[in-house]
Structures are given as structure tokens and as C-alpha cells.
Amino acid sequence: MAKQQVAKTAPRRQSLEVKLGVGKMYRLFAAATLLIAAPLSAQQVHEQQAAFDAAVLSDRELIAEAQANRWLEQPCDIGVPLFGEILERGLGDTHVARAQLFAGALCDDERDDYAAGMAKVRQLEAGWPDFDFTDLGLYFAVRSNNAAEYLSRMRALDNGQLGEFEPQRFWQGFRMVRDQGAEDRFDDIMLEWIDARRLAYLPADLHAGVAMAALSAAIRHGRTEMAPQLLATIRSPADYLTLLSMREYEAIWPFAAERAGPNLEAITDEYVFWASARLENHPSDRDRFSDAAHALHYAGRFEEAIALARQWRERDGSMASIEEGDGWTLNIEAYANDALGRRDEADRIFDQLAALDPEEHPWVVNFVINRASRLVGHERWEDGLEAASLARRVADSWGSQYARMIIARDHTCALAALDRADEIAPELAFLRENKAESYTLAAQALLCVGERAEAVDLLLEGIADEPNRSQVLGACSRAPSTCSIRRLNCRIRSSCSTKAPSCRQPSSNMRASSRRSSRRLHRSSRTAERPSRPSRPRARNTAAKFTSSALVRTRPSLAASLAVRGCNWASRGATAPRSTIASPGSSRRSG
């Protein structure tokens, strides 16, 4: 008997987005509990806003409450006692018992007791094997930092489950596994999937990310002959900057250089064609729309990127129904206008995004941060400082630690330029304290205040730190000015190789790639994570899927996410959005 699929309980892609929303969850559990009854009236709902007490409700009221969706929003206060009372009175059966366990898992998530949530998932799986709790299990494995559990569940996925695999869960899992020191095991599983020809079952959004991971494993196992096959799936020019600049990939440089072409022209043209074709096949897909605009922007086809973005803007009610993918499209339009010298128009677009209510659109944290960083980057210090203050207010509720570091850097640089040195100390203290989150952001701030020697020491410390080395080296390749300090040059080059070879100039193709990259305005800043190893995405933004920002922080509870249809909330340490700091479109891990 085919397993019944339980509604996804966490984000899709890089933000904690609710793909299925409360609708499917409501139908699944309302039907499963066999408590079908008319929904509560508005008056009844209003009357029950007081503290919930299941014991005082009549049998009929209990059944009606089970039909409403309030227990999804308040699993601890309503869900657990509600189903417990129903079972206590003998009104329910095994279906109600399942609903009680599920509510308990949501409650554990709300209380950050992820190990307990994982235990309830195991009970659900043991008691109801015909139901598929895979996504819920992966979620709690990630939240409880249980790399072994996560990898075991990944290996056990059948082809049908691969087809339903949430990209968000993939990136979340990778970041957790990497932080737990099990990245090689993750990569090995990806190579196993490739060997078993299972890539076709996965969502297209994950193909490039899986291929990048499998490529690392193939190189480690001496299977460089697989490079052409795997590179055929990797289309983002940003990935080729990684492949051609990190010595981890030295064994396959000839293959990567040939596919990328001089100055990345061949792969950039393919990227544009691929993204445009995907949009043509599904013109209503907001994320594909965003990807196509980004590809045109990256290729330097700014007018075309703007024209494409305006197609969305010209729709009736476009801002009223805006979602995160639309925000990234506007983000690209703004940067394309910047590239053409139309700063007033770019200002207008960013101001429009900044006016969105973060309570309704938590992902706006990406754009208020990009807006502030852009203004500071233009040396519009007063405007930049004001924008950074707004970004800080939003990030206090919706931003990750990485997001707050970007804001602290922007504050530091703007305050230094405005000769307000007496206000800088708290910013630098925060950056120093959290340097491991991003050595390069801390170093950039130190350079703004003239602390060149400390900035060098900090970058050298990052290079010496194995988990953060690729983050620093990758940032240096994308923003050479941060690392253009003489005593860093040899260390940076030699650190790319475990054999610590003598300093040597990169290939002409690599130098051209770097020049090309530095000319491109990067996509907006990532709000949910920091960059990491050869850019595994800003969460490996596979094939340019970067919606959720590294700046977006801890999600509202899992239950709250289920109860709000269509919200893209990034989870703790989740997701990767496009970044002005990390290269655009990378499908390799970042994190």
C-alpha cells in the first residue's frame, strides 16, 4: 500500500516557506481524525480567544475545535490538551492518537525541544507505517543537529520521496551536516545518487547542488572521469568561479575551463538560455521569473533584465500579492538600473521593497539589508546609515546572525566616514565576537576604521580555520579589495592546496573570470546564512534558486509556519539568498 504523504511541515527552498500550507494539513488531519463537522463561526472563534481549557468543553465543542486550525497555530496551548481530552473521554481512535502525537511534535518544535520531536516522529512512523513522515523526520534531524539521523534518512529515500524532496530541507541538512563535520559523507550519498541514475527523480532546483556535491566526492575518490557528466548539470557562472579558483577542484580544472569558456562567456550564455527556457515553459512561476532576470543581469544584458522584471511589475495588484521570488526580481531590476547609471530608479525600487511590512513579509529582511549595503557602497553615508538602522530593526526580529553582521559592518563604515567614531565601538565588538560567522565581514569593517593589521590577522585566522577557510578564500576571490594586502597573497594561494605549493599566478582564464565577476553587480545579500566552502549555496543556490536569504533568521515556530499560507520564513541557519557578498547563482555550499 502506498504511503499517504503527510503535509510538508517546513520550508521549501532557502527560506522556511510553507509549500502546502494549512489547507492540506487541515484536510489530512480532519479526515484522519474522523471528526468532520462544520467550521466554527466567526463568533465562536472570537469567544474562544481566552485561555483554552479542553476540560470545560462539551464533546461537540471538542470535536468542533479539532476541526478548526487553531491547534496548528497553538499546538502546545490547544493541540496537545485538545486531543488528550478527546482520547480521555473515549471520543477518538487511532487517528486521534496520531493527531495528538503530531501536535506534540509541533509543540516540541515550538519549545525548541527537537530531540523530543524526533522521538515523536519515530513513534508516528512505528505506529502508522502507511503514512510518510519523511519530511518531518528530516526536519527534526536537522534541528537536533543529528547528522547520522539525517544521512540515514537521506540514504533511505525511495524514488518517489526524492521527487517530493524539499530543496529547503536539502540545504538545511547540508549546512547542519557540514557543521557536524560529516560533509564528505553527504557528498558520498550524492555521488551514490548519481551512480544509481536517481538525479532525474529530484526536483530540478536540486540538480546543480547534487552535482556539485557529487563532484567533490568523485574527485576525492579519484573518479575525475565523471567531471564532464557532472559539469553538464552545473550551469551557474558563479559555480565556475568556485571551480576555477579553489584548488580542491584542481584535478578537473581542464574540464571546467573548457565548459566555462574564455571569460565565462560560454557558460554565461548557456545559463541565460537555460533560465529563459525554464521560464518560457512555466511563465507564471515567480522563482523562474527571478532566475531568468538574474541570468540576464549576470550576462550584462541589463536592459533585457529590466524589461523582464517590468513584465511582473506591470501586472495588476503585483505589489499586493508580492512573494519572495518577486522581490528578487525587483532586486535584479534595481541593480540593473544601477549598472546603467539610473540610480534614482534603483532607489525607487528599493524604497518600494523597504516599505513592505516585515510581519507580513519576513523575507523583506533581505532587501532592506541589500538597500543599506548598496547605499553605503555608493558612499551615500547619511542615507546608508538611515537605511542600515531600518535594516537593524527588521533583522532584530527576522534576521540571522550573519544578517546582523552585514548591518554592523555597514554601520561601522558609514559612521567612520561621517567622523562619528565614538559610536563605532559596539559595532566592532559585535563583529569581533562573531567573527567565525564571517571573517570577511569583520575584516571589511576593520579596514573601514583603518585597522589594517588587525584585518590581516583576522583573515589569516580565517584561512587557518579549516571550517571557514573556503569562506575567506571565496570572499577574497569575489572581493579582491578586501584581501589585496601583500602579506596575504602567498598565504591565500598556498592555502588553496593541502600541499601548500609555492605561490603561483592563477591561470589566465581564472584571472579573466575574476575580473568578469568583479564587474558584475552581485545579487542581493543573503540573509539566512553565511558563505562557506566553495560556495555551497548561499545555500547552494542550485541553478540560481536563492530565494530565502541568509539573512532571514530563525523561523517562527513550525506550527506557525503551517498555519500561515504562503509565508517564506527561513529557518535557523537556513537558507541562502542571493548576496552582494557571495557570488550570484552559486550551487555550491555556503552556509
Side-chain angles (χ1 to χ4, degrees), residues 395-414:
D396 281 345
S397 296
W398 304 107
S400 67
Q401 200 75 332
Y402 181 76
R404 297 187 184 100
M405 287 192 72
I406 295 175
I407 295 167
R409 178 206 59 189
D410 291 343
H411 270 89
T412 299
C413 293

Side-chain angles (χ1 to χ4, degrees), residues 23-319:
K24 180 170 181 179
M25 183 67 71
Y26 171 86
R27 289 192 298 274
L28 180 108
F29 284 99
T33 54
L34 303 179
L35 298 174
I36 305 300
L40 295 178
S41 67
Q43 180 179 358
Q44 287 174 305
V45 171
H46 179 73
E47 289 172 352
Q48 292 187 19
Q49 292 303 307
F52 181 78
D53 184 355
V56 303
L57 299 182
S58 67
D59 292 354
R60 183 174 180 178
E61 287 172 328
L62 285 175
I63 293 172
E65 183 63 52
Q67 283 285 218
N69 65 10
R70 291 203 310 152
W71 66 272
L72 288 172
E73 298 180 70
Q74 303 177 61
C76 296
D77 295 336
I78 296 179
V80 173
L82 169 66
F83 292 114
E85 184 68 21
I86 291 174
L87 290 171
E88 178 71 21
R89 297 186 192 183
L91 300 176
D93 55 11
T94 181
H95 304 297
V96 176
R98 182 174 67 244
Q100 184 188 35
L101 269 177
F102 185 81
L106 296 185
C107 181
D108 291 334
D109 174 72
E110 190 171 277
R111 293 172 174 170
D112 295 342
D113 191 352
Y114 305 121
M118 187 76 254
K120 288 184 176 63
V121 171
R122 294 193 184 100
Q123 288 180 266
L124 286 165
E125 291 173 327
W128 294 272
D130 290 337
F131 278 74
D132 188 354
F133 296 99
T134 298
D135 193 68
L136 193 64
L138 289 169
Y139 176 85
F140 279 108
V142 170
R143 293 297 174 211
S144 56
N145 292 319
N146 191 334
E149 180 77 25
Y150 180 84
L151 293 171
S152 175
R153 288 176 175 274
M154 290 278 280
R155 271 210 165 89
L157 295 176
D158 61 31
N159 291 338
Q161 291 166 331
L162 285 182
E164 295 291 333
F165 196 13
E166 291 283 353
Q168 171 70 12
R169 194 73 64 248
F170 178 90
W171 298 126
Q172 285 179 332
F174 166 74
R175 285 187 297 274
M176 181 274 291
V177 166
R178 182 202 56 210
D179 291 343
Q180 297 298 314
E183 183 173 357
D184 286 350
R185 291 164 58 197
F186 181 97
D187 291 348
D188 286 343
I189 293 175
M190 300 302 103
L191 184 57
E192 290 171 11
W193 287 358
I194 295 291
D195 286 338
R197 299 184 178 182
R198 304 185 73 192
L199 188 66
Y201 294 101
L202 284 157
D205 292 355
L206 291 178
H207 287 189
V210 170
M212 284 289 283
L215 185 59
S216 288
I219 293 171
R220 182 160 38 82
H221 293 297
R223 298 175 60 186
T224 55
E225 74 281 357
M226 294 191 67
Q229 170 192 348
L230 295 171
L231 291 172
T233 306
I234 301 169
R235 299 180 179 88
S236 167
D239 287 332
Y240 285 84
L241 289 176
T242 290
L243 292 169
L244 292 168
S245 62
M246 301 302 294
R247 213 153 273 160
E248 169 189 352
Y249 301 103
E250 185 173 10
I252 56 93
W253 274 354
F255 301 108
E258 180 180 3
R259 178 152 164 71
N263 299 322
L264 297 181
E265 290 176 1
I267 197 63
T268 298
D269 288 344
E270 179 178 332
Y271 181 42
V272 171
F273 176 81
W274 173 82
S276 299
R278 291 181 78 240
L279 176 62
E280 186 176 344
N281 286 338
H282 294 280
S284 61
D285 189 306
R286 297 170 187 249
D287 295 332
R288 294 188 183 198
F289 207 87
S290 174
D291 292 343
H294 171 248
L296 290 168
H297 176 272
Y298 193 82
R301 294 160 62 174
F302 302 122
E303 291 287 8
E304 292 175 73
I306 291 170
L308 185 62
R310 284 180 177 168
Q311 288 182 26
W312 178 85
R313 290 168 63 78
E314 291 167 0
R315 296 180 308 176
D316 291 338
S318 59
M319 289 304 292

